[in-house]
Amino acid sequence: MEHVIAFPALDWQATISRVAFEVLGMNIYWYGIIICVGAILAARYVDAHVQAFGLTSNHLMDCLLVCVPTAIVCARIYYVVFEWEYYSQHPAKIVAIRDGGLAIYGGVIGAVLALWAYSRAKRLSFATLCDLAAMGLLIGQCIGRWGNFVNGEAHGGETALPWGMSIDGAAPVHPTFLYESLWNLAGFLGLHLYWKKRRFRGELALLYVAWYGLGRTWIEGLRTDSLYIGAFRVSQVLAAVSCAAAVALLVRQYRRLSVQQHFYTPPTPDEDEGGTT
C-alpha cells in the first residue's frame, strides 16, 4: 500500500501510502479523497459563475446529481471494454471499482451525455451547460491527476530529464501525471481569463476539447499503461480526433461570425429607433 516516490535529480524522496485512514475496517484511499477535492473545487468555481451564464445554483446541483454518477459508471465501462480480455475471465471484478480502473475519457463522455439529457428535460441550452462544465472539468482533472501520483501510476517511459520520477527505486520515468496536471491548469487559466469574451454558446466547450485533446495526444504517447485497440492507443486516437474536430468547428464558427460582422451595417441616427432627425 506504500510507494517510495523520488525525483533523484532534484534530491527529493518520500514514502507515500495509498491509504489515508480507515473507517469501520474499510480503507479510505488518498486517490478518492483527491478526486473528491477536485470535484468540490470545480463545483464551487462553477457555482460562482453560474448566474453569468443564465443558470442557477439549483441547475448546477441537479446537473451534479445526474452527471457525477453517470460519469463514474461510464468511466468504468470505458475501462472494462478496453480491458475485456481480463474482465471476461474475471466477471466479478467488473464492479470492483475500488480496485481501480477508471478512464477519464469515459467519464467525460458520460458527463456530456447526462448534460444533454438534462438540457432536453429542462429545456436549457446544451451548449451553455457544456461551457460551464468545461471550466469545471479542467479544475477537476488538474487536481485529480495527483491521485495517480499517490498511487505511483499513469507514468511514462524512462527518461534522463532532470524531473524524471523514480518509483520504488526503479529508473526515472516521465511524470506524465504532472504533465497533464500542468496542461489542464494552463487550460483552466486560459478559459478563466477568456470566458467573458466568449463569442458564441459552446465556444468554451470547444476550446476545452481542442486544448485537452492536443495535450492528451502528446502525453498519452509517453505513457506505459495505455488502453489499446490493436497497435493504437485508444485515448491518443480519441484525443487527436476530438482535437481536430473541435478546431474545425471553431474555425467554421469564427468564419461565420466574421462574415456576419462584415455585412452588418450599423443604423444611422434617423434609422435608429431612438435617433433624431
Side-chain angles (χ1 to χ4, degrees):
M1 290 293 182
E2 290 184 343
H3 290 288
V4 177
I5 308 294
F7 290 84
L10 304 178
D11 195 26
W12 184 91
Q13 177 177 306
T15 299
I16 301 175
S17 174
R18 294 177 57 198
V19 180
F21 52 87
E22 185 178 302
V23 175
L24 300 176
M26 179 180 294
N27 290 330
I28 305 300
Y29 295 94
W30 278 115
Y31 183 90
I33 293 174
I34 292 170
I35 294 295
C36 288
V37 169
I40 291 170
L41 291 178
R44 291 292 299 272
Y45 176 86
V46 172
D47 189 45
H49 296 82
V50 69
Q51 292 185 359
F53 286 77
L55 301 169
T56 68
S57 295
N58 287 336
H59 289 136
L60 173 61
M61 184 57 65
D62 290 344
C63 284
L64 289 175
L65 291 174
V66 172
C67 291
V68 171
T70 305
I72 293 173
V73 170
C74 289
R76 182 61 173 177
I77 291 174
Y78 185 104
Y79 185 85
V80 169
V81 166
F82 293 107
E83 288 287 348
W84 186 245
E85 183 176 351
Y86 170 81
Y87 287 104
S88 63
Q89 302 299 317
H90 305 85
K93 290 287 188 179
I94 292 176
V95 296
I97 195 170
R98 283 177 54 81
D99 292 343
L102 297 176
I104 184 61
Y105 261 122
V108 172
I109 292 170
V112 170
L113 291 174
L115 276 182
W116 177 80
Y118 179 76
S119 69
R120 293 294 299 270
K122 297 294 184 179
R123 297 184 179 181
L124 296 173
S125 168
F126 173 60
T128 298
L129 290 174
C130 287
D131 280 340
L132 270 171
M135 293 192 288
L137 278 170
L138 283 169
I139 295 174
Q141 290 173 285
C142 173
I143 296 172
R145 276 302 173 193
W146 286 88
N148 299 132
F149 168 71
V150 172
N151 286 352
E153 62 187 9
H155 56 76
E158 293 185 11
T159 179
L161 292 171
W163 52 81
M165 178 180 68
S166 174
I167 303 173
D168 296 331
V173 296
H174 284 285
T176 48
F177 82 91
L178 178 60
Y179 298 168
E180 189 166 331
S181 180
L182 293 176
W183 184 266
N184 289 330
L185 176 61
F188 165 72
L189 292 176
L191 289 188
H192 175 74
L193 294 173
Y194 179 75
W195 74 269
K196 290 184 179 180
K197 302 175 184 178
R198 66 192 189 283
R199 300 173 64 186
F200 60 90
R201 292 177 178 177
E203 182 184 11
L204 300 181
L206 288 174
L207 288 171
Y208 159 78
V209 173
W211 179 259
Y212 182 72
L214 179 63
R216 188 63 184 268
T217 301
W218 159 57
I219 295 168
E220 189 69 24
L222 299 174
R223 287 177 58 169
T224 59
D225 61 342
S226 299
L227 301 174
Y228 282 85
I229 293 182
F232 298 98
R233 300 173 189 257
V234 178
S235 293
Q236 188 176 41
V237 172
L238 183 56
V241 171
S242 62
C243 176
V247 170
L249 290 171
L250 284 166
V251 170
R252 185 182 71 171
Q253 191 63 20
Y254 288 147
R255 284 179 175 175
R256 285 182 176 179
L257 292 175
S258 179
V259 170
Q260 291 174 3
Q261 292 174 356
H262 177 74
F263 286 101
Y264 173 70
T265 304
T268 59
D270 56 334
E271 293 174 330
D272 195 353
E273 183 178 349
T276 59
T277 56

